[in-house]
Each structure stands twice: as C-alpha cells, then as structure tokens.
Amino acid sequence: MTSTQVWLCVGFLGQALFSARFMVQWLASERARRSVVPTAFWIFSLAGGVTLLTYALYRRDPVFILGQGAGLFIYTRNLILIRHERANGDARNDDDQQVAPR
C-alpha cells in the first residue's frame, strides 16, 4: 500500500466516523421518540473531526483545516459540559441523552 493510499484510507475513515454521528443521533431520537443528542454524537464528532483534521493537514488544505479545527473546539466543549453536568448530578435521564434545543 502506498503512502497516498494510506492517507486516503485515513480520510475515508475520518469521514465514516464523522458521518456515523448522524446515524447515532437518528437512532437515539427514534428510540426516545423525540429529538435528542446523545453523548456518542459528540464522541463520533470529535473522533471524526480529529481524523479529518489530520488528513487535511496532510493535504495542506487551509479551508478544510479551518473547518475541522473550529469544529473540534465545539465538540470538545460539549463533552466538557456533559462531564461537568454528570459530576454535578444533573444528568437529564438514564439513556445518556441530551434533549435537542427547540
């Protein structure tokens, strides 16, 4: 496998992780019968974002780098807020899901 092929695999893996977050959110919402954003959504967002940022750095694509870099801040901040909420005993329900804003 060439270096280019390895980097393409990294890019496709990142895209798969990033896209999986929508499946996770959709399934959690269907299960709850309301719109929710589970913690797994943010975990997949972060994992996919880091992987895609790595690929974007390899490609030296400033638009892609800026987009993924900004998103990582948001995903990380949401996970920090969730961790603080749990530490304070403010979890919203046993399914580990956050209600989506209206």
Side-chain angles (χ1 to χ4, degrees):
M1 187 176 272
T2 67
S3 174
T4 301
Q5 290 171 324
V6 169
W7 280 108
L8 280 173
C9 288
V10 169
F12 281 122
L13 173 63
Q15 191 59 52
L17 289 169
F18 199 72
S19 296
R21 70 193 189 133
F22 296 114
M23 185 63 72
V24 166
Q25 191 274 329
W26 174 57
L27 292 173
S29 293
E30 288 295 330
R31 193 174 324 121
R33 301 187 75 72
R34 69 182 199 289
S35 183
V36 295
V37 180
T39 302
F41 175 89
W42 299 113
I43 293 169
F44 274 101
S45 296
L46 185 61
V50 166
T51 308
L52 286 171
L53 178 59
T54 302
Y55 180 71
L57 289 168
Y58 164 74
R59 297 290 306 236
R60 297 180 184 175
D61 183 330
V63 174
F64 200 6
I65 291 167
L66 180 62
Q68 290 305 315
L72 292 178
F73 172 77
I74 295 166
Y75 314 142
T76 301
R77 182 63 181 143
N78 274 285
L79 287 168
I80 290 169
L81 291 170
I82 291 167
R83 183 173 48 178
H84 286 220
E85 186 176 275
R86 287 182 185 159
N88 293 329
D90 297 335
R92 295 204 170 133
N93 63 40
D94 295 336
D95 294 334
D96 188 37
Q97 299 170 349
Q98 307 300 313
V99 176
R102 291 181 181 194

